[in-house]
Amino acid sequence: MDTTSDGQRFTALYQQHYTDVEGYVRRRVHPSQVNDVVSEVFVVAWRRLDDLPGDGVLPWLYGVARRTLANTYRSEQRRGRLLEALAAQPDIPAGDHANDVTSRLAVMAAFSQLSSDHQEALRLTLWENLSARDASRASGCSVATFQVRLHRARKKLRKAINTPINDESAGDAVGRNAPSTDWGGTGVQH
């Protein structure tokens, strides 16, 4: 592909047919979409420069524009359906997420107390969704060893979650130690 002559061919094609393609597209879509569609038409023309017909290039470009417009229409229909579906969703007031945050911090603190092997066993099965066989391969151990490791990890995590934690260990779990704060002079420490 000779880029100099290809560039010149494309430039000539663009200059000769841009106005026609732009008019074709302008009559069919919202003005805000015209530039995007016309640009896509000429991107296709550039990519397929060697496939352009010797004569009848403009009808070929119109065909590309028609297919590009069809894709645009489909995208708009999907967008409209999505907006309708979102509008149909009930308004659910956002509640207090303090319990969720507290629970998450407790799990993070408990998880950080596990050995690295136990953490990895849980990550491979829960986050990566690997079977015991695949996770054992990733861990470099036998399936039986991995299953024992996973069982122990779950048991220790369960025990650690059920053990009360103090604010400092929860802060450490997220990588910071947040000082307790007296909100509004109530004397209640948070």
Side-chain angles (χ1 to χ4, degrees):
M1 182 179 207
D2 182 11
T3 56
T4 304
S5 63
D6 287 344
Q8 292 169 344
R9 274 179 59 207
F10 178 77
T11 300
L13 170 89
Y14 184 84
Q15 290 172 343
Q16 183 179 0
H17 298 295
Y18 177 84
T19 304
D20 294 326
V21 171
E22 192 258 352
Y24 178 90
V25 171
R26 185 169 299 284
R27 288 184 287 277
R28 289 164 173 82
V29 294
H30 189 272
S32 66
Q33 296 175 311
V34 171
N35 289 336
D36 290 339
V37 174
V38 171
S39 296
E40 184 62 28
V41 169
F42 283 101
V43 165
V44 171
W46 171 253
R47 289 182 184 148
R48 303 207 40 217
L49 197 58
D50 292 334
D51 300 332
L52 293 176
D55 57 343
V57 172
L58 185 58
W60 185 87
L61 289 170
Y62 284 163
V64 172
R66 182 179 54 79
R67 288 183 290 280
T68 303
L69 286 166
N71 289 338
T72 301
Y73 294 146
R74 282 191 295 274
S75 294
E76 284 299 312
Q77 288 174 343
R78 280 191 304 269
R79 183 177 177 271
R81 285 191 304 269
L82 179 61
L83 289 174
E84 288 173 9
L86 287 173
Q89 293 295 317
D91 289 333
I92 300 172
D96 183 12
H97 299 289
N99 288 339
D100 292 339
V101 171
T102 303
S103 296
R104 185 173 273 201
L105 287 173
V107 170
M108 291 169 58
F111 190 80
S112 69
Q113 294 173 13
L114 300 177
S115 70
S116 60
D117 285 343
H118 288 161
Q119 287 180 10
E120 187 63 9
L122 290 169
R123 285 185 186 118
L124 289 172
T125 55
L126 299 175
W127 294 356
E128 306 305 330
N129 206 23
L130 293 180
S131 66
R133 185 174 140 212
D134 292 339
S136 69
R137 285 185 191 149
S139 297
C141 63
S142 71
V143 175
T145 300
F146 182 81
Q147 288 175 327
V148 168
R149 187 177 294 164
L150 180 61
H151 172 75
R152 289 178 180 165
R154 286 176 176 160
K155 187 176 176 181
K156 288 182 180 188
L157 181 63
R158 219 175 281 119
K159 181 179 177 185
I161 289 173
N162 292 326
T163 302
I165 59 169
N166 60 31
D167 288 340
E168 273 189 27
S169 62
D172 289 340
V174 292
R176 64 180 186 278
N177 247 335
S180 59
T181 306
D182 181 1
W183 296 100
T186 61
V188 176
Q189 296 292 312
H190 296 280

